[in-house]
Amino acid sequence: MVRLFRPLPWLVGLVAVFGITVWLTLGMHRGLLLSGAIRTKVWPWAPFHPPVPLTAQVLSDPLWMFVPWMDFTARELRAGRIPLWNPHQEAGVPLLANAQSAVGSPLLWPGFLLGVERGWNPTLIAKVLIAFLGTYLWLRDRRRSPPAALLGALAVAISGSFIAWLAHPLTLTAAAVPFLLLFGGRFAERATRRDAAGLFVSTYVVLSGGHPESAPIVALLAAAAVAVRSPSFAGFVRTGAVAFLGALLAAPLLLPFVEYLLASEAISGLS
């Protein structure tokens, strides 16, 4: 097994320097990084831009939903309240239970702590860096050479699909998947406390990401990866038990969503 954690502080430092460089180069310390086409539709930019049809309607979701949810959640938390209810949408709707608000995701905590103006862009760059670091470590653990692992990490973290959905909950979930594969496989082969902790935390981060549609797919992928690496059925079950504990930690976020889903028309296929 490749020794991953001895050079880890150096690798984390290198990734941090790279992230800061990208942050400053792209001007992510100024304003909010949002879809540019939306400026033709909303004040105060609309009068100064010719009307342009939105070719990708879903890319406007951060402006209409994710940023306002983060702002409202931050204000509720600062007031000492759990953001269960959003009174500003329609006649009032559940907030925590809609899943996509991702209130429990650690990757959104900068926005909750610092506010949207200072915290939105850090959540975006954090997803890229976490996906990069997790993929690199996972590929190195699979005995790929450093150049191959670096190329694979870049292919995941700056892929077209990942960047296109960077402001959406999908990438909150996807960013931690390489860590889930890394720690799940390592724990299945040789159970250690460090790998158990990594599996526990990465399971929680994936499930709290606000994209429950991806959870079954990720679970199947992780189960297949663990089955391949586990030397015995007992190792497979032991790994599943640790992942289950991580899922229990996310249960306060998942159970309200399940109840909300069962009470909605979406369960019958209506949108």
Side-chain angles (χ1 to χ4, degrees), residues 123-181:
T123 66
L124 303 183
I125 196 68
K127 287 190 276 189
V128 174
L129 298 180
I130 288 172
F132 174 85
L133 181 62
T135 305
Y136 179 85
L137 292 174
W138 175 53
L139 292 175
R140 288 291 293 136
D141 185 60
R142 301 312 297 145
R143 298 178 177 84
R144 300 301 184 264
S145 67
L150 178 63
L151 181 61
L154 289 173
V156 169
I158 59 173
S159 64
S161 58
F162 197 89
I163 297 302
W165 296 100
L166 188 60
H168 291 66
L170 173 60
T171 47
L172 281 174
T173 294
V177 171
F179 280 105
L180 184 64
L181 299 177

Side-chain angles (χ1 to χ4, degrees), residues 1-3 141 183-196 229-231 235 238-239:
M1 184 177 291
V2 177
R3 294 182 179 272
D141 185 60
F183 289 113
R186 287 174 64 90
F187 187 79
E189 287 184 350
R190 186 177 61 187
T192 66
R193 291 183 180 179
R194 176 183 290 170
D195 293 326
R229 296 186 63 175
S230 179
R238 182 177 61 237
T239 305

Side-chain angles (χ1 to χ4, degrees), residues 40-41 46 49-53:
T40 67
K41 304 294 182 182
H49 290 271
V52 176

Side-chain angles (χ1 to χ4, degrees), residues 47-70:
F48 306 100
H49 290 271
V52 176
L54 294 178
T55 56
Q57 292 285 343
V58 293
L59 294 184
S60 65
D61 286 350
L63 181 67
W64 306 129
M65 295 188 293
F66 307 135
V67 166
W69 287 343
M70 177 183 285

Side-chain angles (χ1 to χ4, degrees), residues 16-29 125 128-129:
V17 170
F18 174 76
I20 293 172
T21 303
V22 172
W23 174 274
L24 296 174
T25 301
L26 296 180
M28 293 181 71
H29 56 296
I125 196 68
V128 174
L129 298 180

